[in-house]
Amino acid sequence: MNDKTLLMIPGPTPVPESVLLEMAKPPIPHRSSEFSKIFDEVNEDLKWLFQTKNDVFIFASSGTGAMEAAISNLVNPEDKVLSLVIGNFGERWAKIAESHGAIAERITVPYGEAIDPDVLRKRLDEDINKEIKIVTLTQSETSTGAVNDVKALCEIIRAHGAISVVDGVTSVGAMDIRPDEWGIDVLVSGSQKGFMIPPGLAFLTANERAFDVHKKCKYPGFYFNWSSYKKSLAQHTTPYTPAINLIVALHRTLKMLREEGLENIFARHKSNAMLLRNSLREIGLKLFVEDDNKASFAVTSVYPPDGVSVSDIRKILKDDYDIIVTNGQNDLKDKIFRIGTLGYISERDILTVVAAIENTIKKLK
Amino acid sequence: MNDKTLLMIPGPTPVPESVLLEMAKPPIPHRSSEFSKIFDEVNEDLKWLFQTKNDVFIFASSGTGAMEAAISNLVNPEDKVLSLVIGNFGERWAKIAESHGAIAERITVPYGEAIDPDVLRKRLDEDINKEIKIVTLTQSETSTGAVNDVKALCEIIRAHGAISVVDGVTSVGAMDIRPDEWGIDVLVSGSQKGFMIPPGLAFLTANERAFDVHKKCKYPGFYFNWSSYKKSLAQHTTPYTPAINLIVALHRTLKMLREEGLENIFARHKSNAMLLRNSLREIGLKLFVEDDNKASFAVTSVYPPDGVSVSDIRKILKDDYDIIVTNGQNDLKDKIFRIGTLGYISERDILTVVAAIENTIKKLK
């Protein structure tokens, strides 16, 4: 029986049935008061979810589009960007910066680890001429399941005077992140994660400090230009055709999230992740990232037991239990598997996946 | 009774109910053989619809994203771009080029007109040092309802040695356009048009000549980089998370379009547009663009009768008949209204809108 798929991956995450049906409504014209009303509510709710007083721009793109939008609006060729790399998505920031002609320097740690704030402080202290203009980092690194201490890192970046650009793709709506309070200058996320809708929307919020740098950007491009989104937002609309049906779906999930409340959302993700982690240990599995404030509540990476392959585990989970978990990426492929616990995931789902993994391993041993 | 909206605008266009329901299925993981199978079929069908042997890249973005992708992959700062402007979307090409540091020169005609090929030939003949690297143009100009003779213009551009970049946003899947045969180097389109699905996907095809120029592009950016899409396409996937549900919807509409056949699709759009145009004239209305091969079959612009305002016409059409037509843009606002006939529009819809317009005007006079 395989038409009851349970998605336990870090995106796309499950979408509530009521939201899927909302998405199946005929598209409404985007230049209409009907759309603008929905759009305004979505924008208010996004500010709430992002814990910011600043605008949150909505792009028709995937999360990587918002990452591009962060960099392309800030850098000029030859600018120096420091990228804190704890996995593939941290590395992506550096690649995006380079694709716009910036010079990217990386601080890299072994995958599974997080950045030591002292290492960042030391590097920035060496930058006596303040050449490093932008520092990029990731909160929850999807490829490993490790988290950075964004608050501590952004304080150091702010003290140095650089602009902090943070990937919140698998953390916004799942783990606490406070741009205004923690001094994050630019924060991005994507729809198929904590937002509980399918992929196709991405989000970006930038503060005044970031906008000041943006104004000096020579070739900001057109589609992702912050200034256009800011201007249109004040007119209750988007500069270019929005992904209407996804915004209508988001309108609904944001109401659901508001009803749950921020504290409860974060508590649910934490307790689900910890239940998963503790249960996996109980059935004898080893986790890739330790608990000491370095483990994401959005995605958990797990080693297969000795003598059992990642691909066999994934295959049995899919074939026998219709549960999808995902492989490691790049060097971690076939070395770990990853279980997503962000978005529309309940305690029952955690019990289910643990039971299924336990039985899968029994079958394979 | 106002829950049976008939969208007669040039995007979003109506979406078949079966396709809406397809879109409401839970998202499937994009890194899976199940998705790759759908994706491969979509890519084959897109090549058929675009009448090209080259790849058609799918972006999670609106049509403007594909326009950005066309320019950002080709131009270097200070490059000269010639933009043939017959309306707002022709002007958009020039603005995008400028946002990437290119120098855009415009050939502009009064709105409602198309570009005279001889004017283009004359300008390019003057460019004896071959400084003009790229020429941008629009097939069906959504803001006016005029069409350019893309075949004639692209022949001239090719003869000069420049790269032609064509906006087929409201023409692909509605009007004949043949990149390989006509020598179009880059062609873009968007999903909420002839493709009969909601907004959120955009398309771009580029030939080898364009790729040769792309290879010399210094700052192509990351999210829209052609090379990444080309590489991933060969691996049956996308470089970044695709807008899964929209691709699943597109998979279905492309099957419908293939079943109808290219000739029938173009014939339907032509006969619907001509029926609309002739009927509007019969009820005494004046059209903004004349028929002599300059009128789009995707969108028709109409003057209101003397003493009747565009806003009143649109209001009665909406309130009494639940039909949405759209206003003119910028300088044409309140001077014309526009009726979309592209995508999932039948002859019955044309009869309906004409009858409703006739009655609307009676009510207003």
Side-chain angles (χ1 to χ4, degrees):
Chain A
M1 198 167 185
N2 61 3
D3 196 23
K4 318 176 61 155
T5 301
L6 176 57
L7 283 179
M8 296 290 288
I9 58 178
T13 61
V15 179
E17 190 178 284
S18 61
V19 177
L20 289 168
L21 293 173
E22 197 73 26
M23 213 167 61
K25 289 186 180 167
I28 54 174
H30 52 291
R31 306 301 182 207
S32 67
S33 54
E34 188 185 357
F35 180 77
S36 285
K37 187 175 173 292
I38 290 169
F39 185 66
D40 284 351
E41 287 182 26
V42 164
N43 284 310
E44 274 313 301
D45 290 345
L46 280 176
K47 282 171 155 181
W48 164 81
L49 189 63
F50 275 77
Q51 303 192 64
T52 180
K53 62 172 179 33
N54 295 308
D55 293 332
V56 180
F57 305 137
I58 306 173
F59 303 118
S61 80
S62 71
T64 303
M67 292 176 75
E68 170 106 327
I71 297 296
S72 64
N73 278 278
L74 291 173
V75 308
N76 286 317
E78 310 303 324
D79 277 352
K80 287 205 175 159
V81 173
L82 178 64
S83 292
L84 311 182
V85 179
I86 67 167
N88 291 340
F89 290 92
E91 172 63 22
R92 181 164 291 181
W93 280 126
K95 284 185 180 150
I96 294 174
E98 286 166 345
S99 79
H100 289 278
I103 298 157
E105 178 185 325
R106 292 149 173 90
I107 295 180
T108 306
V109 296
Y111 284 4
E113 299 286 317
I115 297 289
D116 178 349
D118 287 336
V119 171
L120 172 66
R121 188 180 291 111
K122 188 162 169 287
R123 176 64 192 92
L124 291 181
D125 283 348
E126 288 163 12
D127 179 40
I128 45 175
N129 295 326
K130 307 271 181 189
E131 289 180 343
I132 293 169
K133 189 172 148 184
I134 292 162
V135 181
T136 65
L137 60 150
T138 315
Q139 185 175 31
S140 164
E141 171 58 57
T142 314
S143 68
T144 65
V147 285
N148 275 314
D149 184 344
V150 171
K151 183 167 182 273
L153 296 170
C154 285
E155 271 169 14
I156 296 165
I157 297 163
R158 174 67 61 93
H160 186 70
I163 294 287
S164 59
V165 174
V166 178
D167 170 352
V169 171
T170 50
S171 60
V172 174
M175 297 173 69
D176 198 11
I177 185 160
R178 308 183 185 194
D180 299 0
E181 199 178 315
W182 296 356
I184 299 169
D185 297 308
V186 182
L187 173 63
V188 303
S189 198
S191 61
Q192 77 280 19
K193 310 286 183 176
F195 302 84
M196 310 194 296
I197 64 168
L201 296 182
F203 312 102
L204 181 146
T205 183
N207 63 15
E208 214 175 306
R209 294 181 78 240
F211 258 90
D212 286 343
V213 174
H214 163 59
K215 278 169 199 151
K216 287 173 231 149
C217 181
K218 274 156 66 180
Y219 313 127
F222 193 84
Y223 182 65
F224 289 123
N225 191 307
W226 297 352
S227 298
S228 307
Y229 284 83
K230 191 174 179 62
K231 192 177 154 196
S232 293
L233 218 161
Q235 294 160 358
H236 315 283
T237 190
T238 55
Y240 318 115
T241 308
I244 299 165
N245 295 52
L246 288 171
I247 287 178
V248 168
L250 179 64
H251 183 244
R252 194 174 186 104
T253 57
L254 286 171
K255 299 286 176 222
M256 293 168 70
L257 290 170
R258 271 200 107 136
E259 198 169 313
E260 185 174 6
L262 275 185
E263 276 187 30
N264 292 333
I265 292 167
F266 300 145
R268 170 169 56 87
H269 282 84
K270 182 176 180 177
S271 73
N272 281 345
M274 292 313 296
L275 175 62
L276 176 66
R277 297 174 66 83
N278 292 330
S279 306
L280 290 173
R281 283 198 197 93
E282 271 173 35
I283 61 171
L285 292 176
K286 192 171 164 242
L287 305 179
F288 185 65
V289 177
E290 288 312 308
D291 285 353
D292 52 346
N293 293 319
K294 283 184 192 142
S296 173
F297 301 141
V299 54
T300 295
S301 296
V302 192
Y303 289 105
D306 286 343
V308 176
S309 77
V310 165
S311 59
D312 281 347
I313 291 176
R314 292 183 64 223
K315 187 174 163 26
I316 299 287
L317 277 175
K318 182 170 194 301
D319 291 350
D320 292 4
Y321 303 110
D322 214 356
I323 294 174
I324 316 285
V325 300
T326 196
N327 207 323
Q329 291 184 326
N330 299 359
D331 289 351
L332 293 172
K333 195 176 172 189
D334 296 327
K335 294 198 177 132
I336 56 169
F337 60 100
R338 293 175 298 147
I339 304 167
T341 53
L342 83 162
Y344 188 56
I345 295 284
S346 65
E347 190 176 333
R348 189 187 73 196
D349 297 325
I350 304 295
L351 299 185
T352 305
V353 73
V354 171
I357 289 173
E358 188 172 18
N359 280 277
T360 295
I361 290 168
K362 274 184 198 156
K363 288 186 189 193
L364 286 169
K365 274 205 164 171
Chain B
M1 196 168 186
N2 62 2
D3 196 23
K4 318 176 59 154
T5 302
L6 175 57
L7 283 180
M8 296 289 288
I9 58 178
T13 61
V15 179
E17 190 178 284
S18 61
V19 177
L20 288 169
L21 292 173
E22 197 73 27
M23 214 167 59
K25 290 186 180 166
I28 54 175
H30 52 292
R31 306 299 182 209
S32 67
S33 54
E34 189 186 356
F35 180 77
S36 285
K37 186 174 173 295
I38 291 170
F39 185 66
D40 284 351
E41 287 182 26
V42 164
N43 283 312
E44 273 313 302
D45 291 346
L46 281 176
K47 283 174 158 182
W48 164 81
L49 189 65
F50 275 77
Q51 304 191 64
T52 182
K53 63 172 178 31
N54 295 309
D55 292 333
V56 179
F57 305 137
I58 306 173
F59 303 118
S61 80
S62 72
T64 302
M67 292 176 74
E68 169 107 326
I71 298 296
S72 64
N73 279 277
L74 290 173
V75 308
N76 287 316
E78 309 304 324
D79 277 351
K80 286 205 175 159
V81 172
L82 178 64
S83 292
L84 311 182
V85 179
I86 68 167
N88 292 341
F89 290 92
E91 171 64 21
R92 182 163 292 179
W93 279 126
K95 285 185 180 150
I96 294 173
E98 286 165 347
S99 79
H100 289 278
I103 298 158
E105 177 185 326
R106 291 147 173 93
I107 295 181
T108 307
V109 297
Y111 284 3
E113 300 286 317
I115 297 290
D116 179 348
D118 287 337
V119 171
L120 172 65
R121 189 179 290 110
K122 188 161 168 290
R123 176 63 192 95
L124 291 182
D125 283 348
E126 288 163 12
D127 180 39
I128 45 174
N129 295 326
K130 308 271 183 189
E131 288 180 344
I132 294 169
K133 187 172 147 184
I134 291 161
V135 181
T136 66
L137 60 150
T138 315
Q139 184 174 30
S140 164
E141 172 58 56
T142 314
S143 68
T144 65
V147 284
N148 275 315
D149 185 344
V150 170
K151 183 166 182 271
L153 296 170
C154 285
E155 271 169 14
I156 296 164
I157 297 163
R158 174 67 61 93
H160 186 69
I163 294 288
S164 59
V165 174
V166 178
D167 170 353
V169 171
T170 51
S171 60
V172 174
M175 298 174 68
D176 198 11
I177 186 160
R178 307 182 186 195
D180 299 359
E181 200 178 314
W182 297 356
I184 300 167
D185 297 309
V186 181
L187 173 64
V188 303
S189 198
S191 61
Q192 77 280 19
K193 310 286 184 175
F195 302 83
M196 310 195 297
I197 64 167
L201 295 183
F203 312 101
L204 181 147
T205 182
N207 63 16
E208 213 175 307
R209 294 181 78 240
F211 258 90
D212 285 344
V213 174
H214 163 59
K215 279 170 199 150
K216 287 172 232 149
C217 182
K218 274 155 67 180
Y219 313 127
F222 192 83
Y223 182 66
F224 288 124
N225 191 308
W226 297 352
S227 298
S228 307
Y229 285 82
K230 192 174 179 63
K231 192 178 154 195
S232 293
L233 220 161
Q235 294 160 358
H236 316 283
T237 191
T238 56
Y240 318 116
T241 308
I244 298 165
N245 294 52
L246 289 172
I247 287 179
V248 168
L250 178 64
H251 182 245
R252 193 174 185 106
T253 57
L254 286 171
K255 300 286 176 221
M256 294 168 69
L257 290 171
R258 272 201 105 138
E259 199 170 314
E260 186 175 6
L262 275 185
E263 278 187 30
N264 292 333
I265 293 167
F266 300 146
R268 170 167 59 86
H269 282 84
K270 181 176 180 177
S271 73
N272 281 346
M274 292 313 296
L275 175 62
L276 176 66
R277 297 173 66 82
N278 291 330
S279 306
L280 291 173
R281 283 198 196 92
E282 271 173 33
I283 61 170
L285 292 177
K286 191 170 165 244
L287 305 179
F288 185 66
V289 177
E290 288 311 309
D291 286 354
D292 52 347
N293 293 319
K294 283 183 191 142
S296 173
F297 301 141
V299 55
T300 295
S301 295
V302 192
Y303 289 106
D306 286 343
V308 176
S309 76
V310 165
S311 59
D312 281 347
I313 291 176
R314 291 184 64 223
K315 187 175 163 28
I316 300 286
L317 277 176
K318 181 171 196 301
D319 291 351
D320 292 4
Y321 303 109
D322 214 357
I323 294 174
I324 317 286
V325 301
T326 194
N327 207 323
Q329 292 185 324
N330 299 0
D331 290 351
L332 293 172
K333 195 179 172 186
D334 296 328
K335 294 198 176 130
I336 56 169
F337 61 98
R338 294 175 296 147
I339 304 167
T341 52
L342 83 162
Y344 187 57
I345 295 285
S346 65
E347 191 176 333
R348 189 186 74 196
D349 297 325
I350 305 295
L351 299 184
T352 306
V353 75
V354 171
I357 289 173
E358 188 172 18
N359 279 278
T360 295
I361 290 169
K362 275 185 197 156
K363 289 186 189 191
L364 287 169
K365 273 206 163 170

